[in-house]
């Protein structure tokens, strides 16, 4: 990383971005001393191999726009990594020896595609999921030295879930019923023949999803850990596709519950998310209930159980930067260089809204009293949620004297299935109703200065920003939209196939089938009503929010002389380059401060 990270003249907000980060290390199932993690230690997020026995760490990938998708083979002898072009998410899997060496195509014979899951067997066989605009989803069995064989094909979205320990069973998630938000499961043999099907949607007639959490990691064990929504939230159960047995688990915790196996298959590591925080539990099948695994208050964004029973987890809070810890109390992986400066803690706000109580997370400057200039930083997804986790972007705004409000609007995860599914057909408009309710609370409570309110976000948050500026023009003084959906119809026609399927689910059809819904939910429809200055940033290689539809929106702003600025950069749906990310935040801060006036108590 740059030497400026340790320079006291460099603002703390930049130091947070430059501080080296590491992901939770993944490890090879049959060689647990061999691990793979992601780090920005060079200034770009890349993959690293780590031999725990020797302590040696080695950078695996080195590409201008970074690399984050990688998998270790079960024997730990090789790293598979996904090679796209400058963030376009369209490419092929490459393979590199764990100890270093030349890269080679991992699945020769497969043309470039969007990835749709990967599972690697102990005999070297791989199950590779692919998605293309032409073919929809295909799943291929790739045996060493043999041509790939198609074992699954469908126009709708699907993906590889997992491969059983002995390689005899393959779990797939699919949406053949046409509901891209709620998957069904199919377990097939390596020849593609079906072993069993589990479909809680009942052919698309019920909005109940399933997810693959993983086969039991034990030879001869055909049990599959599955996530389901039968009681209105995500929780795990065990399904044996060979016998047809379903085993319910008495894990009675509020919020969403995920799980993974302990390495010997004797217990489950439970990951529980509730009201923007998370915690860990251990559950042994047959027990009356789970036992708490102690972690600090905040957010656990990933966890894994090691062969000795130790649990490693990636933890942070809004105030404290992330660290990879273990239940022994040790820091598992400590990145080099200075640590990220702390930020301020987050406070909870509960606001009555048109669809129920809305949870918002609030951060305020350490110095000064409200009302503050306030930025509503809207999360993407939409099926995601903001949590009590460290985020350098919001921390930068706090340093500049802004209050930051993050809203877990309807569509967000972690508050039950009904809350997540509520935005169908009135897409964008429902989320903005919740954001408006929190905005009103923020002004009436004395937190926010109504003359200096900023609506901002990236991806779906960028979409909601542009839509909100047009449908609520009197509510916002400024808009900052990163990689947004701006023209919904053009975005649909240009985006990757999996997102087309999601849009058909959300809106009930294609733009040709339900034109009124696309029109009502498209920011382009309301562009002439926008009065606030608008800043837009977009990646020219973005397959999710493609550049052409952004340009259509910008052209309409320009045609009427609206105040706006546009920044285009050579990457996809965001950037993995630290200095590029800092540049983008600096441009946003500069735009806001120029148009709102310098905020008091800033760290500039």
């Amino acid at each position: 990383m740059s030497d400026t990270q340790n320079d006291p003249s460099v603002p703390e907000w930049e130091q947070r971005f430059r501080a080296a980060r590491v992901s939770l290390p993944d490890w090879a199932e049959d060689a647990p001393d061999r691990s793979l993690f992601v780090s920005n230690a060079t200034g770009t997020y890349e993959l690293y191999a780590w031999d725990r026995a020797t302590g040696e760490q080695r950078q695996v990938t080195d590409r201008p726009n970074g690399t984050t998708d990688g998998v270790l083979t079960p024997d730990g002898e090789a790293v598979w990594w996904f090679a796209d072009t400058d963030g376009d998410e369209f490419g092929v899997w490459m393979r590199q020896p764990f100890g270093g060496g030349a890269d080679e195509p991992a699945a020769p014979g497969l043309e470039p595609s969007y990835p749709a899951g990967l599972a690697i067997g102990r005999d070297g066989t791989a199950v590779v999921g692919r998605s293309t605009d032409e073919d929809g989803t295909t799943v291929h069995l790739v045996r060493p030295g043999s041509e790939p064989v198609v074992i699954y094909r469908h126009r709708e979205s699907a993906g590889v879930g997992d491969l059983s320990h002995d390689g005899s069973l393959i779990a797939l998630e699919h949406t053949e019923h046409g509901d891209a938000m709620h998957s069904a499961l199919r377990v097939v043999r390596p020849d593609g023949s079906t072993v069993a099907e589990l479909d809680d949607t009942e052919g698309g007639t019920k909005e109940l999803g399933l997810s693959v959490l993983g086969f039991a990691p034990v030879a001869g064990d055909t049990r599959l850990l599955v996530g389901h929504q039968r009681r209105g939230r995500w929780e795990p159960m065990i399904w044996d596709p060979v016998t047809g047995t379903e085993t319910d688990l008495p894990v009675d915790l509020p919020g969403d519950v995920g799980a993974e196996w302990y390495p010997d298959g004797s217990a489950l590591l439970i990951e529980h998310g509730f009201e923007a925080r998370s915690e860990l539990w251990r559950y042994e099948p047959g027990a009356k209930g789970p036992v708490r695994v102690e972690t600090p208050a905040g957010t656990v964004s990933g966890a894994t159980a090691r062969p000795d029973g130790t649990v490693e987890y990636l933890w942070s809070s809004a105030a404290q930067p992330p660290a990879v810890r273990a239940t022994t109390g040790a820091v598992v992986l400590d990145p080099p260089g200075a640590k990220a400066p702390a930020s301020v803690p987050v406070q909870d706000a509960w606001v009555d809204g048109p669809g129920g109580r809305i949870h918002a997370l609030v951060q305020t400057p350490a110095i000064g009293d409200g009302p503050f200039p306030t930025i509503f930083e809207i999360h993407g997804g939409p099926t995601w949620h903001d949590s009590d986790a460290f985020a350098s972007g919001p921390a930068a705004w706090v340093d500049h004297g802004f209050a930051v409000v993050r809203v877990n609007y309807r569509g967000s995860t972690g508050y039950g299935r009904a809350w997540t599914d509520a935005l169908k057909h009135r897409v964008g408009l429902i989320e903005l109703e919740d954001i408006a309710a929190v905005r009103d609370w923020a002004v009436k409570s004395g937190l926010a200065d109504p003359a200096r309110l900023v609506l901002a976000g990236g991806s779906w948050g960028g979409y909601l920003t542009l839509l909100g500026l047009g449908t609520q023009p009197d509510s916002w003084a400024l808009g900052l939209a990163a990689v947004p959906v701006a023209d919904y119809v053009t975005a649909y026609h240009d985006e990757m196939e999996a997102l087309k399927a999601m849009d058909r689910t959300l809106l009930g059809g294609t733009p040709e089938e339900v034109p009124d819904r696309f029109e009502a939910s498209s920011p382009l429809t309301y562009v002439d009503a926008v009065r606030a200055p608008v800043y837009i940033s977009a990646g020219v290689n973005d397959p999710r929010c493609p550049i052409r539809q952004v340009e259509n929106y910008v052209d309409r702003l320009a045609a009427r002389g609206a105040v706006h600025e546009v920044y285009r950069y050579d990457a996809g749906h965001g950037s993995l380059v630290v200095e590029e990310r800092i540049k983008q935040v600096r441009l946003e801060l500069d735009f806001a401060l120029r148009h709102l006036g310098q905020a008091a108590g800033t760290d500039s």
Side-chain angles (χ1 to χ4, degrees):
M1 300 291 286
S2 171
D3 291 338
T4 58
Q5 183 185 335
N6 299 302
D7 185 345
S9 67
V10 174
E12 285 193 346
W13 75 265
E14 292 188 24
Q15 294 179 40
R16 291 191 194 96
F17 279 100
R18 291 195 179 98
R21 308 276 181 87
V22 290
S23 69
L24 180 71
D26 192 12
W27 49 274
E29 294 176 43
D30 298 334
D33 280 341
R34 294 192 166 187
S35 293
L36 185 69
F37 64 92
V38 177
S39 178
N40 65 338
T42 64
T44 302
Y45 284 90
E46 297 285 3
L47 293 166
Y48 289 77
W50 175 28
D51 189 328
R52 298 185 185 219
T54 65
E56 181 183 358
Q57 296 178 9
R58 181 185 67 82
Q59 185 174 338
V60 175
T61 53
D62 185 7
R63 302 194 303 150
N65 282 298
T67 315
T68 58
D69 293 338
V71 178
L72 283 168
T73 55
D75 59 10
E77 290 296 321
V79 177
W80 283 49
W81 62 272
F82 191 75
D84 65 352
T85 302
D86 296 329
D88 67 358
E89 302 182 46
F90 194 82
V92 298
W93 288 99
M94 302 295 288
R95 182 172 54 211
Q96 183 182 128
F98 181 84
D103 292 308
E104 61 180 11
L110 290 184
E111 295 295 319
S113 68
Y114 298 111
L118 172 69
I120 304 173
R122 286 168 168 76
D123 64 353
T125 298
V127 185
V128 182
R130 300 171 65 252
S131 174
T132 65
D133 294 340
E134 296 76 23
D135 297 328
T137 305
T138 55
V139 176
H140 304 253
L141 192 76
V142 184
R143 297 191 187 277
S146 300
E147 289 293 312
V149 177
V150 177
I151 62 170
Y152 178 89
R153 183 188 301 272
H154 202 277
R155 284 297 313 169
E156 298 291 347
S157 299
V160 177
D162 198 18
L163 182 64
S164 64
H165 187 279
D166 63 2
S168 65
L169 301 173
I170 300 164
L172 306 175
E173 297 181 4
H174 73 81
T175 60
E176 294 174 6
H177 48 271
D179 180 351
M181 292 182 71
H182 303 95
S183 295
L185 304 185
R186 181 173 299 150
V187 173
V188 302
R189 302 178 184 89
D191 63 3
S193 60
T194 298
V195 175
E197 181 95 21
L198 196 61
D199 180 10
D200 281 5
T201 77
E202 297 183 8
T205 62
K206 294 186 176 181
E207 294 182 336
L208 291 172
L210 296 165
S211 65
V212 173
L213 301 178
F215 278 106
V218 180
D221 194 334
T222 56
R223 293 178 299 165
L224 180 65
L225 191 60
V226 168
H228 69 90
Q229 299 178 301
R230 295 173 181 176
R231 287 188 284 265
R233 61 195 175 97
W234 281 108
E235 53 188 324
M237 70 173 183
I238 296 173
W239 174 46
D240 189 328
V242 174
T243 65
T245 304
E246 296 180 19
T247 305
D248 198 22
L249 303 176
V251 182
D252 188 18
L253 298 168
D256 286 338
V257 179
E260 68 172 51
W261 297 94
Y262 274 73
D264 61 1
S266 65
L268 301 176
L269 178 62
I270 302 293
E271 299 180 27
H272 172 227
F274 182 57
E275 296 184 351
R277 277 86 180 175
S278 52
E279 57 190 15
L280 301 176
W281 299 73
R282 175 186 168 97
Y283 174 72
E284 297 183 8
K288 292 183 178 180
V291 176
R292 178 75 182 269
V293 176
E294 292 300 326
T295 59
T299 294
V300 174
S301 53
T304 184
R306 295 280 291 164
D308 64 359
T310 300
V311 174
E312 297 178 353
Y313 58 95
L314 180 61
W315 173 91
S316 73
S317 70
Q320 295 298 320
V324 180
R325 301 184 177 187
T327 48
T328 60
V331 174
V332 175
L333 188 60
D334 194 21
K339 307 307 177 189
S343 186
V344 299
V346 72
Q347 303 167 21
D348 297 278
W350 290 93
V351 178
D352 289 333
R357 292 180 76 216
I358 308 160
H359 190 195
L361 303 176
V362 179
Q363 289 173 282
T364 57
I367 300 174
D369 298 316
F372 299 101
T374 301
I375 181 168
F376 276 64
E377 184 76 35
I378 308 303
H379 72 73
T383 51
W384 189 248
H385 68 274
D386 278 314
S387 60
D388 182 7
F390 197 75
S392 297
W397 289 96
V398 172
D399 286 358
H400 283 78
F402 285 76
V404 177
V405 179
R406 290 179 283 171
V407 182
N408 284 332
Y409 51 76
R410 278 173 287 174
S412 302
T413 54
Y415 301 88
R417 179 177 61 82
W419 190 261
T420 301
D421 290 352
L423 54 80
K424 280 189 175 180
H425 298 176
R426 294 187 62 242
V427 173
L429 305 173
I430 280 185
E431 300 96 296
L432 286 167
E433 290 176 356
D434 292 348
I435 293 167
V438 178
R439 177 208 177 275
D440 291 346
W441 163 84
V443 171
K444 291 176 182 176
S445 69
L447 169 72
D449 179 352
R452 293 191 290 176
L453 280 172
V454 180
L455 187 58
S459 191
W460 197 263
Y463 158 63
L464 293 176
T465 294
L466 296 183
L467 189 63
L469 294 177
T471 60
Q472 303 168 351
D474 297 327
S475 296
W476 308 103
L478 192 81
L480 306 170
V483 292
V485 174
D487 168 3
Y488 216 141
V489 173
T490 302
Y492 176 86
H493 289 301
D494 289 359
E495 68 194 3
M496 59 202 303
E497 181 60 35
L499 293 184
K500 286 187 173 72
M502 180 61 75
D503 284 337
R504 291 193 296 272
T505 297
L506 287 172
L507 289 153
T510 69
E512 291 71 33
E513 293 167 338
V514 287
D516 292 347
R517 290 178 182 172
F518 272 84
E519 181 180 11
S521 292
S522 178
L524 189 66
T525 302
Y526 313 97
V527 64
D528 291 337
V530 173
R531 291 200 291 273
V534 187
Y535 176 87
I536 299 173
S537 59
V540 297
N541 305 315
D542 192 344
R544 298 174 180 268
C545 299
I547 192 67
R548 184 168 71 107
Q549 53 95 29
V550 173
E551 302 292 6
N552 291 347
Y553 186 91
V554 170
D555 289 346
R556 288 280 297 276
L557 288 175
R560 65 182 183 88
V563 178
H564 71 285
E565 292 180 14
V566 184
Y567 174 63
R568 304 166 184 85
Y569 56 94
D570 187 18
H573 198 60
S575 177
L576 300 175
V577 179
V578 171
E579 291 303 320
E580 173 61 34
R581 181 64 185 130
I582 290 173
K583 178 181 179 181
Q584 292 177 23
V585 174
R586 187 182 292 121
L587 289 170
E588 291 177 345
L589 286 164
D590 176 68
F591 186 85
L593 296 176
R594 277 190 286 116
H595 289 281
L596 295 180
Q598 182 78 16
T602 64
D603 172 12
S604 58

